[in-house]
Amino acid sequence: MSEHRRKPPQPQGGGRAAARRGQSGSSSGRRAAPRGATGSPSESYGSGSYDSGGEERPYGGRAEARRAAQRSTGGGRRRAAEPGRGGRRAAPGGPAGPGRGRGRAAAYSDKKRLIDYPRAGKYGWRRWMPSWKLVSGLCIGFFGSLVAVAGIGYAMVGVPNEENAAALSQNNVYYWADGSQMVAAGSGQNRQNVTIDRIPKAMQWAVISAENKTFYQDSGVDPMGIARAVANMARGGDTQGGSTITQQFVKNTYLSQEQTVTRKFKEMFISIKVGTKLSKQDILRGYLNTSYYGRGAYGIQAAAQAYYGKEAKDLKPSECAFLAALLKGPTYYDPAGNEGIDETASASANRKRSELRWRWILEQMHNDKRITDAEYQEAIKKYPMPEPRKASKGMTGQIGYLADTAKKYVLNHSNITEKQFDQGGYQIKTTFDKDKVEALAKAVKKVEKEKLNPEKRELDKHVQFGAASVKPKDGAIVALYGGAGYEKGHFNNNADTSGVPVGSTWKPFVLAAAMENGTYRSDGPLSPLSKYNGNDHLKVRNNDGSYVLKKDNTPFYQENESEHPWGYISLRKAMEQSVNTPFVQLGMDVGMRNVRDVAEKAGILDASFATLNPSFALGTSTPSAIRMADAYATFAAAGKQAAPYSVTSVKSNGQEVEGFDKPRITQAMPEKVAHNVTNVLENVIQNGTGKNALALGRTAAGKTGTTDENKSAWFVGYTQQLSTSVAMFREDPKSAKLLSMNGTAGEKSIHGGDTPTQVWTEYMKAALKGETDPGFPEAEKIGEIQDALGAPSPTPTPSITPSETPSSSPTPSETPTSPSPSPSDTCGFFGCENDGGTENGGGAGGDVTPSPLPSDTSETGGNTRGNGNGGIFGGPAG
């Protein structure tokens, strides 16, 4: 057995007691040292053993030695034994002596700390667990500080003597581009305060049941609501939902609408004081008289007139619940819709939201015993649909549409909310040219008077126009035509609406994509002299040579409006006569995604694009008139694109509002591509479907467009100074669905080359009066001629150079392949020209395919008109 494991000798003669007696009787008379005081190595053994000198070791063994060592460093729960405690005192000079002194000093130092944390005398997790004294002390200090801060805040924040500027509601002033005043409009003339006795009880209880059930019992503030609002602000969210009716009254009446912690605390202290000074009836009256209900209406009286054309005192419970629902946010709860501000605020979506909240408010009123069972059953029976929007003072003619466009631009390019904007006080300088706006309206009225007679012809009813004029290389909207006017009940801005397919005016984007990207068969850009099959009833091929199939797996045939046998004709000729079949196949060869990308870069918004299928090449998309004018302006500007804008500056309280610099100009397509598109579109006016625009008497380029079933007709054209688009359509006033224009104006059908081109020409004559005619830059040769599959072998042809002015006797240049043109056609320098001047060889150009593909939606893009998607500012109209 090893030495360190050997059992020590057993004690002799009676063990410990005898040893103690023997020690006490020794001649030395010294007292035994306390346990652990000797520092002998033998003390590491168990109790009852002896050291090498035969002296008895203290009782306790290893555990006792460990505790003693801890006590000597000051770390044990109890200090080491001191004199007077059981007669055990450490021997002088022993190992416990110095450590024990340090422990005592450390303990003394810990006791002197103001806050005992980390805790002295504790180990492990207990050292970091705060004591109940510390926790309670901190809590008392924290809540005491809050009370002190609240007291100081309450004392320092007083109730303002006057209402804030926002509560006084002002007008917004709009200015023409030359700085002269256009109109002063807004809420300044649309607010009337009424006494509480003229506000129906149903209206009072509707807002209480919906927003603050404890209104008559609470102190005017909701601490938990404020905490939630502050937490939301800290996360960057909205502060809504943290206010009582009293707090909202204070915010509307005395404070700004900014969402800051400072404003929130001011609101709380003022609300407490207001609650002690004003009666609940006065607070409720003030809240209902200062709240915003949409449509520029502040206060319950203005709201009752704006939505129901009646006095507030005459409102029914059902109507009261509707108006109370608007307080949640009129942008999203007005069933008339506000797509120009937010694309999710469509008329249908708003109607659904409004009806749900209206029902809920009535239920709350019933549950709270604020209306009887009979009143509830009567109120819930039918949704109280409000009246359409009305024209406010000065918002007549085109002024309403101009202000509407400018307002939407402001809201989409700043942090100003609709509520803040409608409170007024803004000065908005626009891009609109008064003379050009009047000229455009005059052109529409002149053509309407000449062509339409709704009193005698049923098919002349519900015909509408939309138009816009934009500066190339800038994007400024100088004029627009939105409709008959607010005063005539027409509130949709036809210049900035969606849902009207553009037809063949889309074909230039297909050609531009081919000249920029080429086709799957070409090594580079495609020349506009490349030939494609222009015959009617043509089967369309995929890139692998297979035919495009319909849902029933039968081949898809693309139709022209006429059966004229064009044979293989150049893309230039197909654009001139607006033949469909070449552009559908070209779009497939180029790739519809490339066509879409070119259109988007030119200025068309993503929300207005239709499904990517063969018909996409024919204009099933539905951009606004503003966006079409701007996209064609990209061609006029040698490929440079500038987003359309209608506001140059906004001021509030004399200070400029940020966000209204001119849009950045980008190179959307190569100059060579833009010049060649312009060259081809010049030919459309000189020899093709746009010949009516020759009456302008100056160099211009443009394209006509007509859609399936004659539901819409367009002309979009430009010079270097202006790009203008004109749309014409019929609309069912109840369903907003597009109606066929066959028979309108006493004509078999309406085409883009007819009435829309006449409006365009009349306007451009006036708008460009006195301007020079700079023409267009010369188009360089672009791409290689690569005919479509099945085309006959090409034969050399002289190069095509457009003349400065149309030739009355052009020389032959391009002869269509077999079959030969009909006797009514003549061939000239620019190719064969159809005498009829109609699209598709005697028909309407841009016809949407009558047989939609499986991926087509019902009558893609051409049935129901909207007022937002594809609008000027992205998604929402405006």
Side-chain angles (χ1 to χ4, degrees):
M1 184 179 292
S2 63
E3 182 66 22
H4 73 278
R5 299 288 293 172
R6 187 175 56 206
K7 185 176 180 180
Q10 297 298 314
Q12 302 291 326
R16 294 177 185 170
R20 283 198 297 272
R21 286 193 297 273
Q23 288 172 359
S24 63
S26 65
S27 59
S28 65
R30 293 176 61 187
R31 187 176 175 184
R35 298 176 187 174
T38 64
S40 171
S42 64
E43 290 185 47
S44 62
Y45 291 96
S47 63
S49 61
Y50 290 81
D51 60 18
S52 57
E55 185 178 1
E56 181 187 13
R57 288 170 50 257
Y59 178 78
R62 295 178 183 174
E64 184 63 25
R66 191 161 51 249
R67 287 193 292 271
Q70 291 174 348
R71 287 195 295 270
S72 70
T73 61
R77 294 189 179 183
R78 297 180 56 192
R79 291 181 302 163
E82 297 182 3
R85 293 188 181 183
R88 297 176 182 176
R89 185 171 56 185
R100 200 181 141 77
R102 285 192 300 272
R104 234 185 241 151
Y108 180 78
S109 175
D110 286 344
K111 280 188 175 183
K112 290 294 182 182
R113 289 191 300 172
L114 180 63
I115 298 176
D116 184 20
Y117 192 81
R119 298 175 65 187
K122 303 292 182 182
Y123 280 88
W125 62 270
R126 291 183 179 86
R127 183 170 174 80
W128 302 100
M129 178 65 70
S131 66
W132 67 270
K133 292 181 180 179
L134 178 61
V135 172
S136 59
L138 290 175
C139 289
I140 292 171
F142 174 73
F143 287 109
S145 300
L146 285 183
V147 172
V149 169
I152 295 171
Y154 184 81
M156 292 181 65
V157 177
V159 179
N161 294 324
E162 297 181 357
E163 295 178 342
N164 65 2
L168 297 176
S169 75
Q170 309 166 59
N171 281 325
N172 291 318
V173 182
Y174 296 86
Y175 298 91
W176 296 104
D178 63 5
S180 60
Q181 182 172 317
M182 179 196 303
V183 67
S187 58
Q189 305 298 322
N190 199 19
R191 178 184 172 193
Q192 302 172 43
N193 289 339
V194 292
T195 56
I196 194 70
D197 61 295
R198 296 179 67 83
I199 302 175
K201 286 288 185 181
M203 187 67 210
Q204 299 177 40
W205 288 120
V207 295
I208 291 173
S209 293
E211 299 188 29
N212 188 186
K213 289 180 181 292
T214 61
F215 171 69
Y216 280 108
Q217 291 80 42
D218 62 39
S219 62
V221 297
D222 177 9
M224 293 305 295
I226 293 174
R228 286 194 303 271
V230 172
N232 286 341
M233 272 190 287
R235 293 194 298 266
D238 194 355
T239 61
Q240 296 301 317
S243 298
T244 62
I245 286 177
T246 304
Q247 286 175 260
Q248 293 178 61
F249 164 66
V250 167
K251 181 176 67 174
N252 291 343
T253 308
Y254 301 112
L255 299 174
S256 69
Q257 301 298 311
E258 62 179 346
Q259 295 186 359
T260 63
V261 174
T262 302
R263 201 274 295 157
K264 202 68 184 173
F265 278 105
K266 279 186 179 180
E267 175 189 303
M268 177 179 69
F269 293 130
I270 294 175
S271 297
I272 294 172
K273 289 192 173 183
V274 165
T276 62
K277 292 182 178 181
L278 298 179
S279 69
K280 290 290 187 179
Q281 288 279 283
D282 286 339
I283 293 172
L284 183 61
R285 173 190 56 79
Y287 171 62
L288 291 171
N289 276 325
T290 58
S291 293
Y292 181 62
Y293 296 81
R295 299 191 183 184
Y298 279 83
I300 184 61
Q301 176 73 358
Q305 293 172 341
Y307 288 92
Y308 293 108
K310 60 173 65 175
E311 298 287 310
K313 64 183 179 61
D314 297 326
L315 291 169
K316 299 176 182 178
S318 180
E319 296 166 339
C320 291
F322 168 83
L323 294 176
L326 291 172
L327 297 175
K328 182 78 171 174
T331 298
Y332 303 98
Y333 288 86
D334 182 352
N338 286 285
E339 286 178 286
I341 298 169
D342 190 330
E343 61 182 348
T344 64
S346 65
S348 59
N350 279 15
R351 165 68 188 265
K352 184 176 180 181
R353 275 189 290 261
S354 173
E355 189 163 351
L356 284 173
R357 187 158 179 82
W358 165 77
R359 289 182 179 277
W360 178 82
I361 290 174
L362 287 175
E363 289 172 2
Q364 295 303 305
M365 294 172 68
H366 184 234
N367 294 341
D368 295 341
K369 308 299 183 185
R370 304 307 181 189
I371 53 176
T372 65
D373 292 347
E375 289 172 330
Y376 172 71
Q377 293 300 329
E378 179 63 26
I380 205 74
K381 188 182 299 182
K382 183 180 179 182
Y383 176 74
M385 190 69 181
E387 297 177 354
R389 288 191 177 97
K390 301 180 183 68
S392 57
K393 183 180 179 181
M395 304 291 272
T396 57
Q398 297 307 301
I399 299 298
Y401 306 118
L402 298 175
D404 171 72
T405 302
K407 174 183 176 179
K408 290 172 182 177
Y409 191 89
V410 170
L411 297 183
N412 280 278
H413 289 80
S414 70
N415 293 323
I416 300 171
T417 66
E418 185 186 20
K419 180 177 180 179
Q420 290 170 332
F421 188 86
D422 285 347
Q423 283 172 338
Y426 294 96
Q427 294 83 47
I428 304 101
K429 186 176 181 181
T430 72
T431 60
F432 304 126
D433 184 309
K434 183 178 181 181
D435 292 338
K436 289 181 174 60
V437 169
E438 291 176 351
L440 184 54
K442 186 177 179 180
V444 173
K445 297 302 179 187
K446 179 181 178 181
V447 174
E448 280 184 329
K449 187 175 181 180
E450 291 177 0
K451 297 272 190 175
L452 304 176
N453 192 341
E455 294 181 2
K456 292 184 177 180
R457 285 191 295 263
E458 183 69 24
L459 292 174
D460 286 3
K461 292 181 178 179
H462 313 309
V463 175
Q464 299 185 34
F465 290 86
S469 192
V470 173
K471 279 186 180 180
K473 298 182 182 178
D474 184 277
I477 307 168
V478 297
L480 56 80
Y481 181 84
Y486 287 3
E487 71 277 15
K488 295 186 177 179
H490 184 84
F491 289 91
N492 281 335
N493 185 350
N494 291 347
D496 195 22
T497 188
S498 67
V500 183
V502 296
S504 284
T505 58
W506 195 258
K507 289 174 182 174
F509 301 124
V510 183
L511 182 62
M515 290 194 290
E516 183 174 352
N517 301 292
T519 69
Y520 76 100
R521 297 174 56 241
S522 67
D523 295 328
L526 199 70
S527 168
L529 298 181
S530 301
K531 290 184 173 62
Y532 272 70
N533 193 339
N535 288 333
D536 185 43
H537 199 62
L538 184 72
K539 286 195 289 188
V540 181
R541 294 180 183 271
N542 293 305
N543 291 173
D544 61 3
S546 63
Y547 291 116
V548 175
L549 302 178
K550 295 189 294 185
K551 284 183 178 180
D552 59 2
N553 288 324
T554 58
F556 165 74
Y557 290 90
Q558 178 57 51
E559 310 289 340
N560 295 325
E561 186 177 18
S562 77
E563 298 179 358
H564 185 85
W566 290 101
Y568 280 84
I569 56 173
S570 71
L571 296 172
R572 178 187 178 85
K573 183 67 178 179
M575 186 76 76
E576 174 193 300
Q577 296 300 324
S578 201
V579 187
N580 287 339
T581 48
F583 285 98
V584 171
Q585 189 59 62
L586 178 64
M588 295 297 292
D589 293 350
V590 173
M592 295 300 176
R593 172 59 62 177
N594 287 329
V595 175
R596 185 189 190 281
D597 290 345
V598 166
E600 187 170 26
K601 289 177 182 177
I604 304 300
L605 295 175
D606 178 76
S608 62
F609 287 118
T611 305
L612 296 184
N613 57 36
S615 299
F616 181 77
L618 299 181
T620 53
S621 296
T622 59
S624 67
I626 291 175
R627 282 288 170 175
M628 283 301 288
D630 184 65
Y632 270 50
T634 304
F635 299 136
K640 293 181 174 62
Q641 208 283 323
Y645 68 101
S646 58
V647 175
T648 57
S649 70
V650 176
K651 288 184 179 181
S652 177
N653 298 321
Q655 300 296 316
E656 289 277 355
V657 178
E658 295 182 354
F660 299 98
D661 296 330
K662 284 188 177 183
R664 186 170 60 91
I665 297 175
T666 61
Q667 191 71 37
M669 65 184 67
E671 284 189 17
K672 185 182 290 189
V673 171
H675 291 331
N676 273 272
V677 170
T678 295
N679 180 272
V680 172
L681 296 186
E682 278 186 271
N683 188 50
V684 171
I685 291 178
Q686 291 169 350
N687 300 287
T689 59
K691 283 193 300 183
N692 283 334
L694 286 173
L696 178 61
R698 64 172 64 225
T699 307
K703 183 70 188 76
T704 56
T706 310
T707 57
D708 187 31
E709 297 182 35
N710 208 205
K711 289 182 177 178
S712 63
W714 288 72
F715 185 77
V716 188
Y718 56 91
T719 64
Q720 284 210 55
Q721 297 102 326
L722 282 180
S723 175
T724 303
S725 65
V726 178
M728 178 181 177
F729 55 92
R730 284 185 72 219
E731 181 183 70
D732 185 330
K734 294 182 178 179
S735 65
K737 289 185 177 295
L738 296 183
L739 305 172
S740 174
M741 290 189 291
N742 290 332
T744 295
E747 302 288 343
K748 183 178 180 181
S749 61
I750 297 292
H751 300 113
D754 301 328
T755 307
T757 303
Q758 188 175 343
V759 171
W760 182 91
T761 306
E762 288 290 334
Y763 162 70
M764 293 290 276
K765 278 182 182 179
L768 297 173
K769 187 176 181 179
E771 298 281 350
T772 60
D773 182 5
F776 293 110
E778 185 177 348
E780 303 176 38
K781 180 179 180 294
I782 189 170
E784 298 296 330
I785 297 175
Q786 181 160 344
D787 299 335
L789 289 172
S793 300
T795 56
T797 58
S799 60
I800 295 176
T801 305
S803 59
E804 292 298 322
T805 58
S807 172
S808 57
S809 301
T811 56
S813 164
E814 177 183 342
T815 303
T817 57
S818 179
S820 301
S822 61
S824 63
D825 293 339
T826 59
C827 293
F829 188 76
F830 296 97
C832 292
E833 174 181 337
N834 182 274
D835 288 337
T838 54
E839 303 179 48
N840 292 345
D847 287 309
V848 179
T849 172
S851 304
L853 292 178
S855 58
D856 281 341
T857 55
S858 175
E859 293 184 286
T860 306
N863 276 344
T864 305
R865 202 161 69 87
N867 190 31
N869 292 336
I872 173 176
F873 305 119

